[in-house]
Amino acid sequence: MTEPLPRTPGVELLDVHRIALTETAAPPLSPDERMAMDRLWEESVLANPSLFDGPVVACASLAWEGPHTLAVSWVRTTYRHHVLRRVMGSAAWLPSLFVAVVQPADDGRLLVGRMSPVTVAPGRWQLPGGSMEPPEGDGPLDEAALRGHAARELAEETGVDTAPEDLSLWLVTRGAAGNVGVLFSAPGRPASFLRERFASLVAAEEHPEFDRIAFVRSASELGGPLVDYLEPVVRRCRRSGQIMHTS
């Protein structure tokens, strides 16, 4: 039996040991909602031509299934549906479901990246990660799929190759707008190695997703906008020992 997870103000950090995912149908769009969605999407693409309307996963609901198992209901949709959050009163908008990686360095700091000008949020600092895509064919969307996608995002954004089995489920976040993030913890690496891998990636990529990385012990060290979960996650990392307190 599942217990619905009530919303609380601000960013929530959920301690989970297991995630159970179940696909459900997307809420229907009214003709007015569809018209507004298409108009807003066209305006967004004009402002940022790098946007694309590819397949993506949205989160329909969260519920506790036992003390440490989070039941996630998800739907198949496309990126253009995200603009429905700007349509007043829309019941068809659903928050995104994404993965991210907590990558500590050996000097006691946490790796974060700044989104490049070609991305949907230029200049924003966040953890390596990205929105989940629905499985192809009959493939399952399960915790292993989330872990595999997190490993790919880490490699694509930072150049750091880590086997999916070396990533550990660490935390689930739910942002102020309802977006749900599944965070995995990666093994610590030398800061020099992480910098070298990122430099090699930037040299090889014409349009990297991150234009800069940084290593921090506090989100206050960063200039510019931050994704909403970053400050509370960095704070939790410090308390848990993921980020060491060093002089």
Side-chain angles (χ1 to χ4, degrees), residues 149-221:
H149 190 65
R152 287 193 297 275
E153 291 285 348
L154 181 64
E156 291 173 2
E157 295 183 344
T158 70
V160 178
D161 289 314
T162 300
E165 57 267 25
D166 290 336
L167 298 179
S168 301
L169 178 62
W170 186 61
L171 197 69
V172 170
T173 67
R174 182 159 61 170
N179 295 326
V180 175
V182 181
L183 274 55
F184 293 90
S185 176
R189 304 267 199 160
S192 58
F193 170 81
L194 296 171
R195 289 191 186 95
E196 290 168 2
R197 295 307 303 153
F198 181 69
S200 297
L201 174 71
V202 170
E205 291 280 343
E206 183 178 2
H207 299 296
E209 292 190 57
F210 288 161
D211 63 6
R212 180 182 169 190
I213 62 170
F215 298 91
V216 300
R217 292 189 177 90
S218 169
S220 63
E221 300 171 30

Side-chain angles (χ1 to χ4, degrees), residues 69-175:
T69 296
L70 189 64
V72 179
S73 178
W74 64 275
V75 303
R76 297 172 189 262
T77 184
T78 67
Y79 280 99
R80 75 170 53 216
H81 281 73
H82 289 335
V83 301
L84 283 170
R85 74 183 68 187
R86 294 155 54 189
V87 177
M88 185 70 69
S90 173
W93 175 77
L94 294 174
S96 63
L97 177 65
F98 66 91
V99 294
V101 178
V102 173
Q103 175 63 71
D106 63 351
D107 62 2
R109 296 180 294 172
L110 182 68
L111 185 153
V112 295
R114 188 175 69 179
M115 299 293 282
S116 73
V118 300
T119 62
V120 69
R124 186 183 70 189
W125 290 95
Q126 63 179 58
L127 297 177
S131 298
M132 270 310 293
E133 298 175 0
E136 296 182 4
D138 296 328
L141 181 60
D142 53 17
E143 192 174 312
L146 298 180
R147 184 178 284 104
H149 190 65
R152 287 193 297 275
E153 291 285 348
L154 181 64
E156 291 173 2
E157 295 183 344
T158 70
V160 178
D161 289 314
T162 300
E165 57 267 25
D166 290 336
L167 298 179
S168 301
L169 178 62
W170 186 61
L171 197 69
V172 170
T173 67
R174 182 159 61 170

